[in-house]
Structure formats: structure tokens, C-alpha cells
Amino acid sequence: MLKSTIRLTSVAAQTLTHTTPSAAAAITSTAARSFHTSPQSSNTIYSTADVPAVSGVPHLLTDNDLSPKQLSDIIQSACLFKHQAKVLGQTSGAPLAGKTMALMFSKRSTRTRVATETAVAYLGGHAMFLGSQDIQLGVNESLLDTSKVVSSMVDGIMARVGAHSEIETLAKYSTVPIINALSDLYHPTQILADLMTLHELYTPAGSDPHTTAPTSTLKNLRLAWVGDGNNILHSLMLQLPKVGMHITMATPKGYEPNAEILKQAQKNAKVHGTDLEIYHDPKDALKNADIIVTDTWISMGQEEEKKQRIASFAGYQLSTDLIEQSGANADWKFLHCLPRKQEEVTDDVFYSPRSHVFQEAENRKWTILACINQLLVKKGF
């Protein structure tokens, strides 16, 4: 049988020797097709609709993916990691040794990138950053193809995208867990850091945040949002009721939160017996507030709207005078997810002892670390 094979190969070689280059290429191409194509599928035409979705893989795509208990557990887990690393000087034991997490960022970031890379390193894994210059989601290669290719080579994906539909598509075909590092509708890891920060601030003296339930420290606190109805507000509206917090918000007319997400947030508030109130006057939202939060009025991709947005948000700049004249509680605290711009909040608030923005920024690391540990090490929430 071997001699026969050699003889046929030799004949084929002689045939190629006495043909033109184009004919030889055609013969080689035909042989390749016959080798790689099965007769049963040669006449079948497939489309993306025929590609099966991957099931059974845990993801964190929206704030609705976490139950109240899972939310509290993640906050306490993040506090424990922080305590072990910064107070006790302990290592993680490198549970992700030999593992890789891809950071697929179509939008630039400082805090999310640094937080994720250091979190993966603490767990003993390798973080592979893929920015907009390295990988163009849905541009040169479809999101479906990107998801299947990248997830076949890594153990987890942190994705920072534009439209929320992009991360949904990535998750649909990914064989590894995906964490939403930001989409146009949600920013779940940011709100985890916000809640962790508040939990630390309101944990009673003599107690430790990692051994204290967030529902006991945060229940009945009132958070006031003054600004755009954006992804940060969406995530706050969905998560705060789960820990018993109330939320009041003020947005200019035309800049209200997404109607469907608002409807879901109202359902959450009703289930948990918390207040969710919407205003257009910042003073109404700030009344009786324990925590005051704002964010950029001009997100990435909205630069052309800057002039109109600045005009629309006139009177929304947070200052000590506005906050105190509006009747906020005497010990109010301030948060901002950064980067901050002067028109959003004055220096006398942003750099005051009432501001906890840098503690909040650091906690991005610990909450992201806790999420990665749950999804990649423990295999689910």
C-alpha cells in the first residue's frame, strides 16, 4: 500500500512538472479542497444564524445578573481581598497561575485597565491588553468571529465596548466568562466599587467590612444623583435597592435614564421597599441626601454634543453652597467615578474631606478582583 502511494505521488509530481504554473496551482487547489471538504457539506450554504450559541458559561453583563445575596457576597469578598493584601500582607496562592485574561477595550480607560491588570496579577494570572489599535471589535472581524477566536485561547474576557449589544454578542458565542467593563447601558463593576466604598465608610468602628453585611451598613441611606441619565445611573438604580438604599435623581429634560431600565429599577425598588424618585431640579434630588454622586456630562463619543450639553446642564454643577442650601444631611459624602471635569463639580467639593473619590477608584481593583475570582476560580456567582 505504501509503494502504491509513493507511485501515485510521483505521477502527480511529473504531471505538475509538465504543466504551466497556473495549471499546477489549480491542481494543488483542487487537491486541497478535496482534502478539507466533506462531500456531505460541499453543497450546503451556512449563515451566522446557523452558529449555535454557547450555553452554561457564567458572565457578568448587567447589574441584573446579581441577586441581592450575590451582590453582598461580592462586596464582602472584595473587602476580604483588600484586608488580606493590604493589612495582612498575604498572597492569593495564585489560583490563576498559567491562566490568561483578555482585556478587550474598544474605549480607553485608566482605572479599569490598571484595576484589572493588577487584579489578575494578584491572582497569579496573565492579563493580555487588547486596545482599539490591537483589535477592532466588529470592524475587520465580526464580533461572532472575535468571540470564538479569542475565547478559544484565553480563560476569561474583560470587555469595554460601545453598544451593549456588542457585549451580548461576545457573550453569546464565548466559551469563557465575560465581564462587562462598560457598555453604553451599564457599568456594573463601577457600582460594585461605589457600594464597597460606602460599605467601608459606614461600617461601625470596631467592626471589619469583610465580616459585616452590606445590608446592615447601607440600609435606608439615601443617594442623590445629579447629572446625565447614563450607564452609571442605570447601574445605580438597579443595584441600590438590593442593599436597601434609596435613590433620588435629577437630570435635565431630555437626558432622563433609559425608560426600560427605569421600569426594571422601579420594580426592584418596589420589591425591596425602597424609594426611587426622579426630578429635573437638582435641589429636589439633594434634599435629605446622605451620599451625592455625579459623573461626566459628556461621555466618550459625545464630544460633538459638548456645547449643547454644557448649556442643557446649566445649574447642575455641584458646589458646597448648592448641596447645603438644598438640605442635604449634615454628614453628606461625595463620590465620582472619574475622570472629573470642572463643570460637573467644584474643587471645594471634589477635594474636600467629604469626597471619597480616590478610595472609590482604588476599590475598582478589589471589586474586579472579586468578580474574576468568582467567575474564573469558583466558576460562578
Side-chain angles (χ1 to χ4, degrees):
M1 188 66 180
L2 181 58
K3 290 182 180 179
S4 175
T5 303
I6 294 174
R7 181 177 61 78
L8 288 172
T9 304
S10 177
V11 171
Q14 290 177 358
T15 303
L16 289 173
T17 302
H18 295 289
T19 56
T20 63
S22 59
I27 293 171
T28 304
S29 177
T30 301
R33 285 200 301 274
S34 66
F35 181 79
H36 290 289
T37 306
S38 63
Q40 294 86 348
S41 63
S42 58
N43 296 321
T44 303
I45 298 174
Y46 293 98
S47 72
T48 56
D50 299 303
V51 181
V54 177
S55 61
V57 180
H59 304 294
L60 177 58
L61 305 183
T62 80
D63 302 88
N64 286 327
D65 293 339
L66 296 175
S67 69
K69 183 180 185 307
Q70 290 169 337
L71 174 61
S72 292
D73 287 347
I74 281 292
I75 294 170
Q76 281 190 278
S77 174
C79 291
L80 178 59
F81 274 120
K82 185 176 182 179
H83 178 77
Q84 289 173 334
K86 299 192 71 173
V87 178
L88 303 180
Q90 294 180 352
T91 63
S92 68
L96 291 186
K99 306 289 187 180
T100 299
M101 186 163 199
L103 280 61
M104 297 168 56
F105 283 27
S106 60
K107 289 187 174 184
R108 64 187 181 273
S109 169
T110 299
R111 284 148 300 283
T112 306
R113 178 177 178 177
V114 174
T116 308
E117 290 195 6
T118 54
V120 174
Y122 181 76
L123 293 172
H126 169 67
M128 177 188 295
F129 182 76
L130 300 171
S132 58
Q133 301 303 311
D134 306 303
I135 183 170
Q136 299 184 61
L137 295 179
V139 179
N140 292 329
E141 185 174 48
S142 72
L143 290 165
L144 187 161
D145 295 0
T146 297
S147 180
K148 292 184 73 67
V149 169
V150 175
S151 69
S152 72
M153 302 182 196
V154 302
D155 303 280
I157 297 173
M158 189 82 168
R160 189 175 175 90
V161 300
H164 187 70
S165 60
E166 294 178 355
I167 202 162
E168 289 179 327
T169 300
L170 289 173
K172 182 177 180 179
Y173 300 105
S174 175
T175 55
V176 299
I178 290 182
I179 298 174
N180 181 0
L182 176 141
S183 70
D184 64 343
L185 292 182
Y186 306 98
H187 201 346
T189 59
Q190 176 62 56
I191 273 49
L192 291 175
D194 294 355
L195 290 175
M196 176 183 175
T197 304
L198 294 175
H199 176 53
E200 290 177 326
L201 293 173
Y202 286 99
T203 294
S207 300
D208 293 317
H210 63 277
T211 59
T212 306
T215 49
S216 68
T217 61
L218 303 180
K219 188 175 182 179
N220 289 325
L221 290 175
R222 184 172 298 274
L223 183 146
W225 171 271
V226 176
D228 192 14
N230 62 13
N231 50 6
I232 299 289
L233 177 56
H234 293 162
S235 290
L236 283 169
M237 291 192 308
L238 292 171
Q239 294 287 40
L240 295 189
K242 298 177 188 177
V243 292
M245 290 181 65
H246 310 292
I247 180 169
T248 58
M249 63 198 85
T251 65
K253 292 181 179 179
Y255 296 89
E256 295 87 355
N258 176 280
E260 288 302 312
I261 296 175
L262 175 60
K263 188 181 299 184
Q264 180 60 54
Q266 289 170 330
K267 289 180 181 179
N268 289 1
K270 186 175 181 180
V271 167
H272 297 287
T274 61
D275 299 334
L276 191 156
E277 301 170 2
I278 308 170
Y279 302 100
H280 291 302
D281 188 336
K283 291 182 179 179
D284 292 330
L286 291 167
K287 187 176 181 180
N288 298 322
D290 298 294
I291 304 108
I292 297 159
V293 186
T294 191
D295 183 27
T296 182
W297 301 341
I298 305 155
S299 299
M300 283 181 279
Q302 298 175 333
E303 288 79 7
E304 293 182 1
E305 305 173 32
K306 181 174 182 178
K307 186 176 180 180
Q308 178 58 52
R309 281 178 167 267
I310 293 296
S312 297
F313 283 82
Y316 275 71
Q317 184 190 48
L318 289 170
S319 65
T320 301
D321 286 344
L322 174 63
I323 293 170
E324 295 185 347
Q325 289 172 11
S326 300
N329 288 338
D331 60 346
W332 60 268
K333 297 170 175 56
F334 176 76
L335 297 180
H336 189 301
C337 72
L338 307 181
R340 164 258 189 170
K341 298 181 182 66
Q342 185 72 34
E343 64 263 20
E344 301 149 9
V345 54
T346 57
D347 286 350
D348 64 290
V349 173
F350 188 79
Y351 292 111
S352 75
R354 296 178 179 275
S355 175
H356 303 279
V357 298
F358 299 115
Q359 179 180 348
E360 175 189 11
E362 181 199 344
N363 284 341
R364 294 293 306 282
K365 171 179 178 174
W366 305 110
T367 49
I368 286 174
L369 195 160
C371 289
I372 294 172
N373 182 65
Q374 285 295 141
L375 290 174
L376 273 64
V377 179
K378 295 186 176 180
K379 308 302 182 183
F381 290 107

